[in-house]
């Protein structure tokens, strides 16, 4: 079955860190760019970060640059998001999303179910 | 990186056609033919319905069509059905390996 499964969300205090993981299956993981997209409860979608299939190309939204780090391990079909210095406005469901192409077509054709990150003291 | 601008809501009766606009800038929609559209039903994950401006993924109804002009894009839903009631988001590549979503539009079928 073609799917993405996120893990790692939970309650975290402001200023602390959390690492999200996403496991892909049913497709050749290394052949596709991958992204993280977030959605605060009741709000719209926000692109967070993306990484090409080879990890050569990486991008971040201004709101998370210098605090979040995206990476991937193609041998383990896994995508990661290291989130440091978390702020209350980072609270959201974080979705792992597959790109249609290897370098970034920026069209997300497969989504995980999301993992909720709650930032609160 | 300001979000692309969409109307907050659009409504129509069953069988009618509706169009959702998505306004960007020269830095995103105006520079790249990489606009995509997503449908999100309540408590569901987004679903890709249009990519590269006008193309439909396999399995997406031809009732969904899209176009681009300058710094704006639009999504048209023809023959509106009850199942089309959902939130719709546009997205565009915006240079320097980044993407941006629209503010989202709630479609109501009257």
């Amino acid at each position: 079955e073609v799917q993405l499964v996120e893990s790692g969300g939970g309650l975290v205090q402001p200023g602390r860190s959390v690492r999200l993981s996403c496991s892909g299956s049913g497709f050749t993981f290394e052949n596709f760019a991958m992204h993280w997209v977030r959605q605060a409860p009741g709000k719209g979608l926000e692109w967070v970060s993306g990484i090409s299939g080879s990890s050569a190309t990486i991008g971040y939204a201004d709101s998370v640059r210098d605090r979040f780090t995206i990476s991937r391990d193609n041998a383990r079909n896994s995508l990661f998001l290291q989130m440091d210095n978390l702020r209350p406005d980072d609270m959201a469901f974080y979705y792992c999303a597959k790109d249609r192409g290897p370098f970034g077509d920026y069209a997300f054709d497969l989504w995980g179910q999301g993992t909720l990150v709650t930032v609160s003291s | 990186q300001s979000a692309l601008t969409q109307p907050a809501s659009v409504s129509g009766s069953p069988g009618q056609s509706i169009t959702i606009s998505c306004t960007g800038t020269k830095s995103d929609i105006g520079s790249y033919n990489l606009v995509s559209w997503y449908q999100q039903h309540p408590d569901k994950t987004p679903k890709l319905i249009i990519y590269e401006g006008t193309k439909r993924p396999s399995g997406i109804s031809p009732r969904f069509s899209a176009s681009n002009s300058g710094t704006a894009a639009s999504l048209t839903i023809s023959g509106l059905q009850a199942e089309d009631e959902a939130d719709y988001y546009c997205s565009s590549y915006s240079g320097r390996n980044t993407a941006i979503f629209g503010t989202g539009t709630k479609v109501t079928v009257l």
Side-chain angles (χ1 to χ4, degrees):
Chain A
E1 181 183 3
V2 179
Q3 66 177 355
L4 296 169
V5 179
E6 302 95 337
S7 60
L11 176 64
V12 60
Q13 293 180 326
R16 304 299 292 265
S17 300
V18 70
R19 189 191 197 208
L20 304 183
S21 299
C22 170
S23 178
S25 60
F27 62 98
T28 305
F29 190 80
E30 64 184 355
N31 286 354
F32 299 94
M34 296 294 296
H35 304 264
W36 290 99
V37 176
R38 68 185 181 184
Q39 186 171 35
K43 302 297 184 181
L45 300 173
E46 181 186 9
W47 179 85
V48 173
S49 182
I51 185 170
S52 63
S54 66
S55 300
T57 302
I58 288 175
Y60 297 98
D62 287 345
S63 58
V64 307
R65 186 173 291 115
D66 299 327
R67 298 188 301 121
F68 291 8
T69 303
I70 192 172
S71 62
R72 63 190 295 162
D73 182 342
N74 289 338
R76 295 194 298 164
N77 293 340
S78 295
L79 175 72
F80 306 101
L81 187 67
Q82 176 68 38
M83 306 165 63
D84 298 326
N85 191 19
L86 282 161
R87 307 187 304 217
D89 61 358
D90 292 318
M91 184 168 71
F93 286 95
Y94 283 76
Y95 296 103
C96 168
K98 170 186 164 293
D99 199 292
R100 290 191 68 256
F103 303 112
D105 194 31
Y106 293 87
F108 316 125
D109 63 356
L110 179 66
W111 296 65
Q113 288 302 305
T115 186
L116 179 61
V117 175
T118 301
V119 183
S120 175
S121 53
Chain B
Q1 289 178 333
S2 297
L4 305 173
T5 302
Q6 298 180 233
S9 62
V10 173
S11 61
S13 299
Q16 287 186 328
S17 293
I18 61 169
T19 296
I20 301 168
S21 62
C22 172
T23 303
T25 69
K26 291 185 293 184
S27 299
D28 38 66
I29 295 176
S31 293
Y32 309 98
N33 189 28
L34 291 175
V35 174
S36 51
W37 288 88
Y38 302 85
Q39 177 191 62
Q40 186 179 31
H41 287 107
D43 298 321
K44 299 294 186 183
T45 59
K47 178 181 181 180
L48 177 68
I49 57 174
I50 296 287
Y51 67 97
E52 292 179 6
T54 61
K55 299 177 181 178
R56 282 189 309 275
S58 174
I60 298 301
S61 171
R63 296 188 299 104
F64 294 94
S65 62
S67 63
N68 294 344
S69 179
T71 58
S74 62
L75 173 73
T76 297
I77 308 175
S78 304
L80 198 62
Q81 299 179 1
E83 66 200 50
D84 299 331
E85 189 161 288
D87 293 327
Y88 291 82
Y89 295 90
C90 60
S91 177
S92 175
Y93 179 64
S94 53
R96 296 183 300 117
N97 306 312
T98 65
I100 188 168
F101 277 95
T103 51
T105 298
K106 180 178 181 59
V107 168
T108 301
V109 181
L110 301 172

